[in-house]
Amino acid sequence: MSRKIRVIIVDDSKTGRAFIATALRRDPDIEIIGMAADPLEARDLIIKDQPDVITLDIEMPNMNGLQFLEKIMRMRPIPVVMISSLTARGAETSIEALQLGAFDCFPKPAAFSGIEAYAGLVPLVKAAAGSGAGRNSIINSVSNKSVQRKVISPEVIAIGASTGGVEALGAILPRLPSAFPPIMITQHMPPLFTASLATRLNQMCDIQVQEAEDGVPLENGHAYIAPGGTRHLHLKKIGGRLFTSLDGGEPVSGHRPSVDELFRSVAHCSGASSVGVILTGMGRDGAEGLLEMRKAGAYTLGQSAASCVVYGMPKAAMEVGAVERMVPLSSIAETLISYCKSENGGFV
């Protein structure tokens, strides 16, 4: 790249700052231009040095990370990667941070973990630095086309998301009516975070949003979010009824739960009676699974480039021919409602 990514690290722990700095400095494209022990010290650095990305610990003295994040977003929006503890409280705070505009949250490794535990922070910082670039409409002709299709009342909607997905789900689910067909969601997140996400979304929505459990029959007006980190969320059909299924196995497309796994199970069980939606996120997870859904007759949507925090997963899906229509985030809920209504205006 032509210029290094300039990063400021904000963490009240000297050890934490050292680990983060060491991990980031291993990448030649990243330069640490400052470190601060609290938000008040960080504020002066940000004004003086104008970083490209900030890593910000959520829990700090003088002003907590959420309060500081709000001030950053008002003062000068800069991509912020939050560093969050893997606790129920940390998960709730992380979801709030993502809704306030944080780029993503990185789970803080245990105290005894070595430097390698911070390696996953490097691609997050690099993606955050590029999150404002290249988000012009890349394939606008597709997103502007009206797709002529027979209107059906699908039996299930499958949604996959990663970085930026919390914001995207918060823009879509609250606009869906309570009688909407059941929704299955795989959002890349660590354990505990998905339960907090489900709770927060449930408070915002007319539909019921919950973390998925194994063997639950799907119901209209319900959304089921794959638990983070341990198992894949699948759709199963038994005796003509649809059920959730949580299954073990190795990570797929680098993830567990995997969007590809969810989409493939929906393609197999529901085929043309389903809708697939791929939202903002890094990488390629979901592209091949969405293609299987489209080949099975499902209606498939992708979030448009200009409205993505990271145009990675939808772009990969578009490139393999999995996306039937690209839609701006602001129009996805209305597109789903319009498509899913039956001829009498209902959803069943």
Side-chain angles (χ1 to χ4, degrees):
M1 41 181 11
S2 57
R3 184 175 75 84
K4 289 191 175 186
I5 298 165
R6 304 166 75 249
V7 178
I8 286 178
I9 298 167
V10 187
D11 194 313
D12 66 322
S13 164
K14 184 177 181 179
T15 302
R17 295 195 301 272
F19 274 141
I20 293 170
T22 302
L24 295 181
R25 282 176 177 141
R26 288 183 174 183
D27 191 295
D29 293 332
I30 297 175
E31 176 186 7
I32 309 300
I33 61 169
M35 292 191 275
D38 64 51
L40 299 181
E41 183 183 346
R43 180 187 57 194
D44 295 335
L45 285 177
I46 292 167
I47 293 171
K48 178 172 70 76
D49 296 326
Q50 302 289 299
D52 300 309
V53 179
I54 300 167
T55 71
L56 176 61
D57 190 12
I58 282 182
E59 296 179 355
M60 286 182 300
N62 296 328
M63 180 190 301
N64 69 39
L66 281 181
Q67 292 171 323
F68 190 49
L69 176 66
E70 266 191 295
K71 289 183 180 295
I72 292 171
M73 292 301 134
R74 285 202 309 268
M75 178 177 68
R76 180 181 178 269
I78 298 168
V80 177
V81 177
M82 306 296 290
I83 312 295
S84 169
S85 58
L86 272 173
T87 63
R89 179 182 173 188
E92 290 173 9
T93 309
S94 297
I95 299 303
E96 190 172 347
L98 291 168
Q99 291 182 322
L100 284 172
F103 176 79
D104 210 337
C105 287
F106 181 78
K108 183 184 292 185
F112 54 82
S113 302
I115 189 64
E116 297 304 325
Y118 288 85
L121 187 56
V122 174
L124 272 187
V125 166
K126 296 181 80 169
S131 60
R135 286 172 61 185
N136 314 347
S137 196
I138 294 175
I139 316 176
N140 268 344
S141 59
V142 179
S143 62
N144 291 333
K145 285 181 180 176
S146 176
V147 178
Q148 297 300 315
R149 248 186 177 272
K150 181 182 177 183
V151 175
I152 64 167
S153 184
E155 58 187 11
V156 63
I157 315 295
I159 299 176
S162 186
T163 304
V166 170
E167 178 185 359
L169 292 170
I172 295 169
L173 298 188
R175 295 160 78 174
L176 301 179
S178 59
F180 204 70
I183 303 165
M184 300 178 74
I185 300 166
T186 290
Q187 160 74 51
H188 296 159
M189 277 190 155
L192 297 179
F193 282 47
T194 44
S196 295
L197 174 62
T199 298
R200 185 168 286 268
L201 286 171
N202 190 54
Q203 295 167 349
M204 300 164 58
C205 298
D206 288 335
I207 62 173
Q208 299 294 307
V209 184
Q210 63 198 74
E211 191 176 46
E213 298 178 5
D214 187 45
V216 174
L218 267 59
E219 298 181 55
N220 280 3
H222 285 68
Y224 309 86
I225 300 178
T230 57
R231 292 180 287 178
H232 298 293
L233 176 62
H234 292 147
L235 177 66
K236 288 197 173 175
K237 184 173 278 190
I238 304 172
R241 285 205 71 181
L242 297 176
F243 293 83
T244 60
S245 177
L246 296 177
D247 302 299
E250 294 301 312
V252 174
S253 305
H255 299 279
R256 185 177 55 211
S258 163
V259 180
D260 271 328
E261 283 288 296
L262 171 61
F263 285 168
R264 284 173 177 141
S265 70
V266 173
H268 175 73
C269 289
S270 290
S273 296
S274 64
V275 177
V277 183
I278 192 159
L279 301 176
T280 174
M282 293 190 292
R284 299 185 55 84
D285 188 26
E288 298 300 331
L290 193 67
L291 180 59
E292 290 190 27
M293 286 188 67
R294 188 173 187 188
K295 287 179 177 178
Y299 182 35
T300 59
L301 300 176
Q303 184 177 342
S304 69
S307 65
C308 282
V309 172
V310 180
Y311 187 56
M313 287 163 52
K315 180 182 180 183
M318 171 62 75
E319 288 173 344
V320 299
V323 176
E324 184 168 341
R325 186 180 179 192
M326 296 297 279
V327 182
L329 177 60
S330 60
S331 301
I332 290 177
E334 285 68 24
T335 301
L336 289 172
I337 291 169
S338 173
Y339 181 72
C340 294
K341 276 186 178 178
S342 62
E343 292 181 1
N344 64 9
F347 295 102
V348 283

